Amino acid sequence: MTDTAQSEAAQTMRAIVVEQLGAPDVMQVREGVPVPQPGPGQVRLKVEAVGINFADVLSVAGEYLTRTRVPYTPGMEFAGTVDALGEGVTGVQVGQLVACLGGSGSLATYAVAHAAALIPVPASLTAAQAAAFPVSYFTAYHGLKTLGYGQPGQWVWVQAGAGALGTASIQLAKAMGMNVVASASTEEKLELARKLGADVTLLQDDPDRVQKIRAAAASDTNSKGGVDLVLEVVGGPRFQESLDVVMNRGRVIVIGNASREQANLRPVELMKRNVTVTGLWLTSLMGDAEATRDAAMALTPLIASGQVTPQVGPTYALDESVRAFQDILDRKTTGKVVIEPQR
């Protein structure tokens, strides 16, 4: 390669570009995309791993909580090595591995992010594990503790227990001394939930699931006729099940809507048992500096000690992004789906 060709190659990169919203196959791999330059307060990262969330799938489909503006490059959560520093950036070094919640733009070989959004990575984590950490574990912490007020000895129902958020929630709940009921779609996924510490597991389509969850909690002397807390991610018609299994003065934390269907809620039903239903959206919570600091202080020693380990699921190359997104939609995966742009 000539010097000129090498210079041009250094200024361009490969990236996923979405020009119209829809199913995963609207994503296109583009060559020759200009490498972004970090502005004041920003850093550029060589992207090593991108954690894919259901929110990314919804964003590409135009169904996320915020409007998706096209053209854009998906990827809100990633890990990479610092490649260049913008003006005024301190406290981070070129070559350092960091994780980041960047909103979008990381399904590329390089990405730019605000230095304030960077999360230090413990030396024990790989890039893939680092990319699997921020969204799932911060969300799980806020669901269990910040908004869920979870306490040792209490029972929590973790839905989609083998997914990225589910595996994070099981580990954190056990670290907090809670009892866990986990549900999932297959026996293989339930085995993973048990491995991570779930006390009771059941198939999500078990016809007696509501009765079995209530019975599990009732077997504990601290139970008051149901679980104390539900991490609700299914939505649709099954939202009612979360209300059916929660105890008097229990809490339902709404984190997702995997069914992509409308749920019905009758407020008077909450009154009868003094039940609380709370929505959780990590994007807005990350704007709360105190809540973010508390979560980071709680999570950092758990991650560093190995008591909690991000569960990396299947990994894909950038060219396989469409398949990665479709596999999430088809519920074929466990743990965090990771795309590695440098492959």
Side-chain angles (χ1 to χ4, degrees), residues 254-308:
V254 180
I255 305 176
N257 182 31
S259 69
R260 301 165 83 175
E261 298 180 54
Q262 185 68 39
N264 294 318
L265 173 65
R266 294 174 294 173
V268 68
E269 187 172 355
L270 307 182
M271 296 168 58
K272 291 178 181 178
R273 289 179 292 123
N274 302 291
V275 170
T276 300
V277 176
T278 304
L280 190 168
W281 187 32
L282 184 61
T283 298
S284 58
L285 266 175
M286 292 299 286
D288 184 331
E290 182 177 355
T292 300
R293 182 176 62 251
D294 290 346
M297 289 180 63
L299 290 170
T300 298
L302 293 176
I303 295 288
S305 67
Q307 186 174 355
V308 167

Side-chain angles (χ1 to χ4, degrees), residues 50-53 77 125-137 160-172 188-189 191-197 302-303 306-315 333-339:
V50 183
I52 305 301
N53 302 281
E77 172 186 36
L125 296 188
T126 65
Q129 289 174 321
F133 166 64
V135 169
S136 296
Y137 285 84
L165 176 60
T167 54
S169 298
I170 292 170
Q171 291 181 84
L172 285 180
E188 179 185 9
K189 292 181 178 182
E191 180 58 34
L192 173 59
R194 287 189 287 269
K195 178 182 176 182
L196 295 176
L302 293 176
I303 295 288
Q307 186 174 355
V308 167
T309 303
Q311 299 298 298
V312 176
T315 61
T333 64
T334 59
K336 177 65 64 106
V337 169
V338 172
I339 295 175

Side-chain angles (χ1 to χ4, degrees), residues 3 23 119 127 149 166 176 192 201 320:
D3 290 343
I119 301 171
Y149 305 106
M176 292 167 53
L192 173 59
T201 59
E320 300 171 310

